Amino acid sequence: MAKASSLIIRAGHDALRKIRKDGFSFHDVEVMAGASGGPKWFVLTGLDKAIITHLLPTREEPLHLLGTSAGCWRFSCLAQADPLSAHARFEQGYLYQRYSKHATAEEITGKCRALVKAMLADNGAREIVANPRIKLNLITTQCHGLAAREQRHLQAAGLLMSAAGNALSRRHLGRFFTRVLFHHPDTRPPFWALNDLPTRRVPISAENIEDAIVASGSIPLVLSGVRDIHGAGPGVYRDGGVTDYHFDLPFNQGNGLVFYPHFYDRAIPGWFDKSLKWRKPSAHNYRNVVMVAPSPAFVSQLPYGKIPDRKDFVRMDDQQRIQYWQAVIHESQRLGDELLERLEKGDLEQHMQPIA
C-alpha cells in the first residue's frame, strides 16, 4: 500500500495549466503568501525551514512576500540577512510564551512586542528594508468608530456591527476599516492595485517596521491596537487578518506564480468570514496560486489530531501546551522533506489538485 502523502498541493486554473505544460520551478514564483492564524503556523515550520535553506538561496529574482498576522511575523524572518536564525528566534520565542491566568490585553501586547523585538534583534529592521531580493509586504487594518476603542464593550459593539455588515457583503467592511498595505520601499508589488476595500499604501521603514509587524498581529479584543504608526498617520491599527485573514485579493496581475504554504487546503477571505461557510475567495484571484498544506492524514497523526490554535492557551497548562507544540514542530519537518523530494523528482504537478 502506498504511503499516505503528508502534503496536499492545490493550484488555480492558470497555475495548473502552466505547470502541467512546463513543470514547476520556484524561479517562476513572484509572490509568496502567508496567512493569519495564530499558533496554526507551527505546522508550517518544516516548510518554512525548507524554503529558507533550499529555495531562497537559489533565487536571484525578487520575491514579494505578503503576510498578515502570523504570516507577516514568519515572513519578517525570511527577509532578514540570516533568515534561519531569525526564524529560530521567532519559533522559540513564540513556543515559550507564558501568560498569567487572566492576562490583560496590556500584558499580552507587551509580551508580543517583546517577541517581535527579539525576532528583529539589533539589525533586523534595517535588513528587511534594505533587502533587494526578498521584499516584505504586510497588511494591517486601521479601525474606525467603535472598533478603534480599547474599552472591551465598545470595541465588541463595533466588531459586532462590522460582522453584520460583512455578512451582507465584504464591501461593507470599508465602513469600519481601512486596509493599510505596508510595502517594500523600492518597488510596487504585483498586488499593488487593491480596490475591493479602502486601501492605503505606506512604505516600510526602519522607523515603522516594528510597529507595523506588531499591529499586523494585534488581534481585536486580545491585544491593544497600535497607535499612530510612523508614516501611516494617526489612528488605531489592528490585525491585518480582519480584512485579509487568508486573502481574497489579486495576488499577481501578471503571469508569475503565487506560492502559498498554508495550514489548510482552503482559504477564508476575512476574519469575519470564519463562520460564513458560503464565503469563498474568487477563483480569478487564485488563478495563479500554488497552495501547499498538510494533508488530513498528516494532521490525524499529530497529538490531539489537530494543528495548534489559540485555544491551546486556555485548554492546556503551559507544560502540556509547549510539549504539544514542540511535537508539531518536530513532525512538520516531514512536510518540508516531502516538498523538497517532490521538487527534486520534478513531479510536483503529478500531485496537484485544483483549488476547490
Side-chain angles (χ1 to χ4, degrees):
M1 182 181 294
K3 179 183 175 183
S5 175
S6 296
L7 289 175
I8 288 183
I9 305 170
R10 295 194 181 276
H13 50 79
D14 286 5
L16 204 56
R17 184 169 58 248
K18 173 183 174 60
I19 293 168
R20 284 175 174 169
K21 178 176 180 288
D22 302 322
F24 176 85
S25 169
F26 196 68
H27 295 280
D28 294 329
V29 174
E30 291 185 3
V31 175
M32 195 158 78
S36 303
K40 295 182 180 73
W41 79 273
F42 277 122
V43 79
L44 301 178
T45 54
L47 286 170
D48 284 348
K49 290 169 188 175
I51 291 166
I52 289 169
T53 56
H54 291 83
L55 301 184
L56 293 188
T58 69
R59 289 187 66 95
E60 295 181 0
E61 314 86 353
L63 179 65
H64 302 273
L65 309 178
L66 177 63
T68 58
S69 196
C72 156
W73 293 27
R74 290 166 50 219
F75 287 176
S76 299
C77 302
L78 271 60
Q80 293 184 50
D82 185 349
L84 197 59
S85 293
H87 188 277
R89 292 194 298 272
F90 175 45
E91 178 187 277
Q92 294 303 297
Y94 203 113
L95 175 65
Y96 288 105
Q97 292 178 88
R98 294 175 185 269
Y99 297 98
S100 58
K101 187 173 182 179
H102 300 290
T104 63
E106 291 76 14
E107 177 187 347
I108 298 170
T109 302
K111 290 188 176 181
C112 285
R113 185 172 285 274
L115 172 57
V116 171
K117 285 182 179 293
M119 176 181 67
L120 292 173
D122 294 333
N123 297 309
R126 289 184 289 274
E127 292 167 359
I128 290 169
V129 173
N131 197 323
R133 195 168 51 93
I134 311 301
K135 298 178 182 291
L136 178 67
N137 305 268
L138 62 97
I139 290 173
T140 71
T141 304
Q142 184 180 9
C143 300
H144 309 301
L146 293 178
R149 304 292 289 271
E150 293 300 343
Q151 298 94 328
R152 285 183 61 86
H153 66 288
L154 295 178
Q155 188 184 148
L159 296 173
L160 186 61
M161 289 188 289
S162 307
N166 176 77
L168 297 174
S169 169
R170 264 180 57 81
R171 288 194 173 273
H172 289 310
L173 287 176
R175 301 181 180 184
F176 307 95
F177 308 103
T178 296
R179 173 196 286 131
V180 183
L181 172 65
F182 284 87
H183 63 90
H184 196 275
D186 70 2
T187 189
R188 289 188 173 189
F191 37 83
W192 181 265
L194 302 176
N195 59 13
D196 59 318
L197 295 171
T199 301
R200 198 161 71 253
R201 297 157 184 82
V202 178
I204 60 171
S205 66
E207 292 73 30
N208 67 21
I209 186 65
E210 179 187 310
D211 276 346
I213 293 170
V214 172
S216 188
S218 293
I219 305 166
L221 299 175
V222 179
L223 280 77
S224 304
V226 177
R227 289 190 169 274
D228 308 339
I229 299 178
H230 180 84
V236 175
Y237 299 83
R238 301 195 193 276
D239 199 315
V242 171
T243 54
D244 298 282
Y245 190 57
H246 299 164
F247 307 111
D248 184 12
L249 48 76
F251 291 107
N252 191 340
Q253 297 182 318
N255 296 316
L257 296 177
V258 178
F259 193 66
Y260 192 172
H262 194 23
F263 26 82
Y264 300 140
D265 67 338
R266 63 193 186 282
I268 300 167
W271 195 58
F272 296 109
D273 298 322
K274 289 187 282 186
S275 62
L276 306 182
K277 303 303 181 184
W278 67 88
R279 183 72 53 81
K280 295 182 179 180
S282 156
H284 180 76
N285 285 342
Y286 276 71
R287 64 185 177 82
N288 47 13
V289 169
V290 177
M291 181 180 285
V292 179
S295 69
F298 174 85
V299 173
S300 70
Q301 295 172 4
L302 295 176
Y304 310 107
K306 71 174 194 67
I307 62 176
D309 60 67
R310 282 198 297 119
K311 293 180 181 178
D312 296 339
F313 282 108
V314 295
R315 281 188 297 228
M316 305 176 187
D317 62 35
D318 286 334
Q319 182 178 0
Q320 182 185 16
R321 172 181 55 81
I322 290 168
Q323 288 177 342
Y324 162 43
W325 287 2
Q326 285 174 323
V328 174
I329 291 170
H330 175 75
E331 291 299 318
S332 76
Q333 186 63 44
R334 290 162 45 201
L335 303 183
D337 291 344
E338 184 169 324
L339 174 64
L340 295 176
E341 180 183 355
R342 297 275 74 81
L343 294 177
E344 184 178 354
K345 290 182 176 179
D347 65 353
L348 199 71
E349 64 274 15
Q350 296 178 26
H351 299 266
M352 283 185 177
Q353 306 171 36
I355 289 179

